[in-house]
Amino acid sequence: MGESRTSFNDDPEGLVDALGTLIRERGAQHFLTSHRVLPSEASLPDHWTPTERGVWRLTSRLMRYAGLAELGVDIRVVSASVAAGPLDGTTGHTMGHRGAAGLFYGIQDGRAVFGVDLRQLSNVDGVVGTMAHEVAHAWRAHHGLVQEDRALEEELTDLTTVYLGFGVLTANAAYLARSSTQGFLGSAWSVSTGGYLGHDALAYLLAVQSVLRADDRATRGRLADALERNQRSVFLSAADALKSASLGDRFQVNVAPSAEAPPDATPLPDDRADDFGEPTPGTTAPPTAEEVEARAWRTRHAGEVRFRVAPPPPSVGSQRAVVGLAVLMAVTGIYSLATQSASVGRVVLSAAVLLTVIGGFVLWVVKSVPVAHCSDSSCGRQLKQPLPVCPGCGAGIAGDIRSDAERFDAEEDLDPKARAVAVQRSIEAAAALGVTVNKAPRTRYRRATRPASDV
Ligand SMILES: [Zn+2]
Ligand SMILES: [Zn+2]
């Protein structure tokens, strides 16, 4: 065991050296001429659904871009809470990511095997970034580049995504993963357990790539446009600061404008289609008029933001008061029955009345305890668990508030980024039901509308 290594996040020179090493090992060709995949229909033309099959299509497309078209792709549904154990018969290490939507198991019988947590597919940017990273794992395993040191291998895998042309995807997802608040909004993407490159390191590598490719202004602007705000500023300032001549010497490449490969739109072989038990798009029976209407109603607030009103549970004191009162009623009733000299029939009848009254009292108290619900007054759907999108009205749930009265203040104080995330999730949830939201038109795979502060 050597001394602990400095993360590339704190070592830009080491980061650039590691890229140089990768280029020496695998050549500069792919790094300098491959299509740089953007979150656009042109780069990722396949139909996206938040399903096993949707992930298969996305992953297969990324595998083609990585030059691994000859490997098949297997997607296995996993639960993120189940630790990524090794899979029998796969080569190389299983690379799991606690809390992430995807993982790479290894290569088995000529197929790259990935795991995916279907409950974490609501955020398209996150899924695309995650699968780009997992495909980079597969590429490194395929070429025998995997390092023993797990944290180092994770950072090199992120670096490899830039080499493969996936840098925009992972840089955007890195920001999502590491900037989200812990808890409700961020639970799905809080993967910053160490061993990953930060969004600024990835943006820096994208700048190195752009300078070495001698990108013209238009090309660089297109890349910048596809990046989230913070990544974009790192990318642009680094690209300005880097000197192409010295960088070319360092990487021993000839810095000259080179034609970037076009997007890959070849149809995917649908060889695994039957495995998913999911009908091919276009072959499903059209929904009935009632279904269409019901879906429209359940998504009527898609593209908007609401909150989950989760009132604090009753205090221990008030719980004791209720129990005490019920006991007192019972004791008084039994006493009065016992002291009555009446027929057995009258005692039974009185007891029945007594129990009904006490039962009714307890039921009334229990029912009056407020239940967590959607803050929309026309909806009010019960939300026992925190959900990203309200199933009753389709609004994005931006967090918890304590009472209905807080909803206007909470809406005003809402962080623009959190709002954008909630809006995007609600639009995607509606899309999964086949409902297109016109309030914020967007194409598949495009990132969320920019937060207001960015306009
Ligand atoms: Zn990884
Ligand atoms: Zn609702």
Side-chain angles (χ1 to χ4, degrees):
M1 296 289 285
E3 71 267 37
S4 67
R5 192 184 59 86
T6 308
S7 162
F8 289 137
N9 289 313
D10 305 316
D11 179 14
E13 286 303 303
L15 180 69
V16 173
D17 283 344
L19 178 60
T21 303
L22 181 60
I23 288 172
R24 272 195 303 283
E25 283 169 335
R26 299 301 315 165
Q29 170 91 9
H30 194 107
F31 179 66
L32 293 177
T33 61
S34 67
H35 176 64
R36 278 168 289 188
V37 180
L38 301 182
S40 67
E41 296 256 9
S43 286
L44 299 169
D46 307 291
H47 179 61
W48 165 251
T49 53
T51 61
E52 194 179 348
R53 190 178 198 173
V55 175
W56 179 84
R57 281 189 290 259
L58 167 65
T59 310
S60 299
R61 181 65 59 192
L62 292 172
M63 290 285 278
R64 291 189 65 85
Y65 280 122
L68 296 176
E70 79 272 19
L71 284 182
V73 171
D74 276 354
I75 303 291
R76 308 208 170 172
V77 175
V78 297
S79 156
S81 56
V82 178
L87 195 69
D88 287 344
T90 52
T91 56
H93 298 281
T94 292
M95 288 301 189
H97 310 95
R98 201 151 57 84
L103 61 92
F104 171 61
Y105 278 115
I107 294 169
Q108 184 178 42
D109 303 331
R111 304 186 76 86
V113 186
F114 300 91
V116 63
D117 181 358
L118 293 182
R119 294 166 310 172
Q120 295 194 46
L121 300 183
S122 58
N123 185 317
V124 176
D125 289 343
V127 175
V128 171
T130 298
M131 295 323 293
H133 174 96
E134 305 310 328
V135 167
H137 272 309
W139 185 86
R140 292 180 61 80
H142 182 71
H143 292 296
L145 299 172
V146 179
Q147 301 288 310
E148 275 296 314
D149 180 334
R150 180 72 174 265
L152 172 65
E153 179 59 21
E154 288 300 343
E155 292 191 4
L156 290 174
T157 300
D158 269 348
L159 181 146
T160 300
T161 63
V162 178
Y163 176 92
L164 291 175
F166 305 156
V168 170
L169 309 180
T170 46
N172 283 345
Y175 189 80
L176 277 175
R178 289 157 186 95
S179 70
S180 51
T181 48
Q182 193 59 41
F184 183 57
L185 278 172
S187 56
W189 294 104
S190 299
V191 294
S192 56
T193 49
Y196 299 87
L197 293 185
H199 67 273
D200 43 1
L202 286 160
Y204 186 80
L205 288 171
L206 276 170
V208 170
Q209 185 179 39
S210 177
V211 169
L212 286 172
R213 287 190 183 205
D215 283 339
D216 56 25
R217 280 180 61 88
T219 305
R220 196 162 289 170
R222 205 163 41 83
L223 291 165
D225 276 349
L227 284 165
E228 292 285 342
R229 187 154 46 117
N230 291 14
Q231 291 86 324
R232 185 164 61 228
S233 65
V234 173
F235 169 74
L236 288 175
S237 55
D240 278 347
L242 287 163
K243 298 279 174 289
S244 61
S246 61
L247 210 54
D249 287 348
R250 185 164 178 182
F251 286 90
Q252 295 171 347
V253 301
N254 181 29
V255 180
S258 53
E260 176 166 338
D264 179 333
T266 45
L268 296 171
D270 230 1
D271 62 339
R272 308 297 283 181
D274 291 344
D275 287 2
F276 301 124
E278 180 196 338
T280 314
T283 64
T284 38
T288 64
E290 287 94 43
E291 272 166 13
V292 169
E293 203 175 316
R295 287 177 194 181
W297 176 249
R298 289 204 311 266
T299 56
R300 66 193 181 278
H301 292 314
E304 298 170 23
V305 170
R306 298 290 187 276
F307 296 89
R308 174 174 174 260
V309 185
S315 68
V316 175
S318 61
Q319 287 176 23
R320 281 190 188 142
V322 169
V323 171
L325 209 55
V327 169
L328 193 70
M329 284 168 78
V331 168
T332 318
I334 290 163
Y335 177 78
S336 63
L337 281 177
T339 52
Q340 269 173 13
S341 54
S343 67
V344 174
R346 277 184 69 108
V347 171
V348 169
L349 188 67
S350 308
V353 170
L354 179 71
L355 286 175
T356 307
V357 168
I358 294 172
F361 168 71
V362 170
L363 205 65
W364 173 73
V365 169
V366 168
K367 289 212 93 169
S368 64
V369 171
V371 183
H373 58 273
C374 173
S375 69
D376 188 89
S377 52
S378 82
C379 174
R381 168 76 174 236
Q382 192 170 317
L383 300 170
K384 282 184 182 163
Q385 303 296 323
L387 290 173
V389 174
C390 175
C393 66
I397 302 292
D400 280 9
I401 55 177
R402 290 164 70 88
S403 72
D404 288 299
E406 284 177 24
R407 69 182 196 269
F408 298 113
D409 283 346
E411 185 137 21
E412 226 160 66
D413 297 343
L414 186 59
D415 170 52
K417 188 114 197 157
R419 169 186 293 277
V421 169
V423 165
Q424 191 194 352
R425 285 180 173 179
S426 75
I427 291 170
E428 279 158 11
L433 285 172
V435 177
T436 311
V437 178
N438 296 322
K439 289 157 192 163
R442 59 195 291 281
T443 48
R444 263 180 269 137
Y445 290 114
R446 276 208 68 80
R447 64 176 189 276
T449 38
R450 295 233 177 87
S453 62
D454 201 34
V455 177

